[in-house]
Amino acid sequence: MPKSKTTKACGLIGMLLCCNVLKAGPVFPQEAVAFSQAEVRQILRLSPLPPLPDDPSNAVADNGTAALLGQHLFFDPNLSSSQKIACASCHIPHEAWADGQKTSQGVRRGRRNTPSLLNVAYNRWFFWDGRADSLWSQALQPIESPDEMNGDRTAVLHYIRSTPHLYELYRTLFGNLEFLIQPRKLPTHAQPATAAKRDSESVQAWEAIPEETRTRINDAFANVGRSIAAFERRLVSSNSRFDKFVDGLRDGDIAKQNALSLNARKGLSIFLGKGNCTLCHFGPTLSNGEFHSLGLAPPTYASWTDLGRLTGVGALLRDQFRLTGKYANAVGKQIDLPTNFLVESPELAGKFKTPTLRNIAKTAPYMHAGHFATLRDVVQFYSEFKGADLADHHRETVLQRLRLVPDEIAQLVEFLESLTGEDVDIALTRPPLLK
Amino acid sequence: MLRPYIVQLVALLALAVIADAFAVARSVISSGGGYLVEYSSSFDPMPLNRLFSLNIVIKPNKQSGRPSPLVNVDARMPTHNHGMNTRIVVQKLEEGHYRADGLLFHMPGHWRITIDLTDERNVTEQVVINAQIQND
């Protein structure tokens, strides 16, 4: 009760201060929005972005040579069957490392929205359904996905071996790939069967390869993923206006606090309070990285049903490159891995990963199939849940209409816009120069 | 000559480290009064969005004369209508001693942990632990 009175009072003060800005020049807008001690504690936990987490499953995660090889591979369309699609075709640097499309366009049109790669190294799970549990194993899947690059692992390894600048880097890091041609040349195209590729020539070729050689191929393919991950780990964007505000809040520095506009502060207040946003969007990435169902109906352009995390768990548990598989480097105490405790439960159907809100203003359209064109649309959805299927018995009852008024929607959007960080080093936004 | 003592010392230190990793145990009597259940968490307070374990010690009521029951552990958010995204695995360490791994509370708020104790007659008693998980 006292809080709502305080909020009203603060709103009034805010209005008065806004009038003062017009009459008497700048004021310190932090006086207009009062945060409780509990809210301040919550805010301080949202920033700064901590140092990159270690990746014990990737021995070259922080190796500069691996990052250089990974950068070459990331921008190289020769990894795809069409030789036209690279990782960078969907993770476009000037599109905040997403693609600005509702669903991704690889060799074929995909069914999911392309997530941004900014700050991707902080993730616990990868893809909207979390079907990968490490950045390096994530990087491998699009290469062989029929919708994305439609390539295969032996083709990629043959290509690296026959491309001098790539092979030099690979050999320096992981040793040679001569087993691809000696004692006899391995098939140009070979890959294990998947649900999408069962009887192709490349699958038949794979099945004809001796088990021991398959393991060597898989080891080398995992190295490709590790190198791409070493590059992607460097795509960090922080120091947003919100980060500056929090820094100022921590130091009592008014000038830094002024990085956040009055409206954005009001939006922050809604984010922490009425909006209940921090139930899922908490911590320095502003995401719990876990899976929830919002009852989103399939978009009008979708002719498919997407079970999200339910199929994601199944795919992860079958992925030979998962952290509990034999291709992960030392991962410390295996028992500490959430992957050990996954189960394909019906309760997971229709759940998708909570995205980070950092840089969210730059990654439209939104949701797992690009349902909404703007942040305003997203907030409007949470406000009314118009068109959502909330009748499902698995639904999260915490999802209640927020019934935000237009000003509140605008404030929340302005807060979300304040989460845009600095651009990454421009040298990372293009293929490395060849010596 | 000193080797056996060194081995014992190392073993004691290892036990101390393991014991220290779990918080002080709390005790609860099960729903039917048949068991005293002591539990401790590998993190105290129980953490938000981080994997943790529970050590569980079950002491059957002396008058009941029951052997150790089958133990099943679950956790849900009653006000949200969902459980965890992970599955708890219970391991029997020794008679009456269990370890529940795989707990991960991915949202702040009220979590209800239930420990079901089922005896050889298929009678189940329950212990409920209410945890308020904070994000501030």
Side-chain angles (χ1 to χ4, degrees), chain A residues 224-302:
Chain A
V224 170
R226 290 190 181 100
S227 303
I228 295 172
F231 165 66
E232 292 175 339
R233 274 171 69 81
R234 299 183 167 208
L235 306 178
V236 174
S237 171
S238 60
N239 207 18
S240 64
R241 280 183 281 131
F242 174 67
D243 290 315
K244 289 170 188 155
F245 166 77
V246 179
D247 196 25
L249 201 62
R250 194 171 275 118
D251 298 349
D253 184 328
I254 301 297
K256 286 182 188 171
Q257 288 179 36
N258 282 339
L260 207 61
S261 69
L262 176 61
N263 262 349
R265 288 173 204 223
K266 288 180 178 175
L268 172 58
S269 182
I270 297 166
F271 187 81
L272 300 171
K274 179 179 179 179
N276 264 334
C277 308
T278 51
L279 283 175
C280 299
H281 294 283
F282 57 78
T285 61
L286 291 108
S287 168
N288 62 359
E290 285 291 331
F291 302 87
H292 299 273
S293 171
L294 299 176
L296 275 170
T300 51
Y301 46 86

Side-chain angles (χ1 to χ4, degrees), chain B residues 92-108:
Chain B
K92 186 173 181 178
L93 304 175
E94 57 181 274
E95 191 59 27
H97 289 247
Y98 301 82
R99 182 179 164 119
D101 293 310
L103 287 103
L104 198 156
F105 294 162
H106 60 282
M107 295 175 83

Side-chain angles (χ1 to χ4, degrees), chain A residues 112 115-135 138 280-281 286-294 296 307-310 348 350-357 360 367-368 382, chain B residues 85:
Chain A
R112 301 244 177 94
S116 169
L117 291 182
L118 290 172
N119 304 322
V120 70
Y122 292 89
N123 287 1
R124 172 187 292 154
W125 311 111
F126 300 82
F127 297 112
W128 280 101
D129 58 9
R131 66 182 183 275
D133 58 0
S134 71
L135 185 52
Q138 184 283 329
C280 299
H281 294 283
L286 291 108
S287 168
N288 62 359
E290 285 291 331
F291 302 87
H292 299 273
S293 171
L294 299 176
L296 275 170
L307 295 178
R309 183 58 170 161
L310 179 57
L348 300 175
K351 290 189 174 183
F352 295 89
K353 193 173 70 178
T354 308
T356 175
L357 294 182
I360 195 74
M367 305 301 185
H368 63 272
Y382 277 100
Chain B
N85 289 337

Side-chain angles (χ1 to χ4, degrees), chain A residues 206-225:
Chain A
W206 178 259
E207 286 167 359
I209 296 173
E211 180 65 32
E212 188 186 338
T213 309
R214 287 190 217 168
T215 300
R216 293 187 77 179
I217 294 169
N218 289 342
D219 271 327
F221 192 46
N223 290 334
V224 170

Side-chain angles (χ1 to χ4, degrees), chain B residues 14 36 40 55 76 93 108 113 119 124 136:
Chain B
L36 175 69
S40 57
N55 258 359
R76 295 189 66 80
L93 304 175
I113 304 171
D119 68 11
T124 299
D136 62 21

Side-chain angles (χ1 to χ4, degrees), chain B residues 60-109:
Chain B
N61 183 328
K62 284 179 184 169
Q63 291 168 346
S64 73
R66 291 173 174 172
S68 289
L70 287 174
V71 178
N72 190 44
V73 182
D74 192 20
R76 295 189 66 80
M77 294 192 88
T79 56
H80 290 201
N81 190 35
H82 66 70
M84 301 186 305
N85 289 337
T86 50
R87 169 184 54 113
I88 297 172
V89 176
V90 180
Q91 214 183 333
K92 186 173 181 178
L93 304 175
E94 57 181 274
E95 191 59 27
H97 289 247
Y98 301 82
R99 182 179 164 119
D101 293 310
L103 287 103
L104 198 156
F105 294 162
H106 60 282
M107 295 175 83

Side-chain angles (χ1 to χ4, degrees), chain B residues 45-46 77 105 108-112 129-135:
Chain B
M46 292 177 197
M77 294 192 88
F105 294 162
H110 174 211
W111 283 86
R112 179 180 290 159
I129 303 166
N130 289 298
Q132 192 64 34
I133 305 301
Q134 308 287 350
N135 74 344

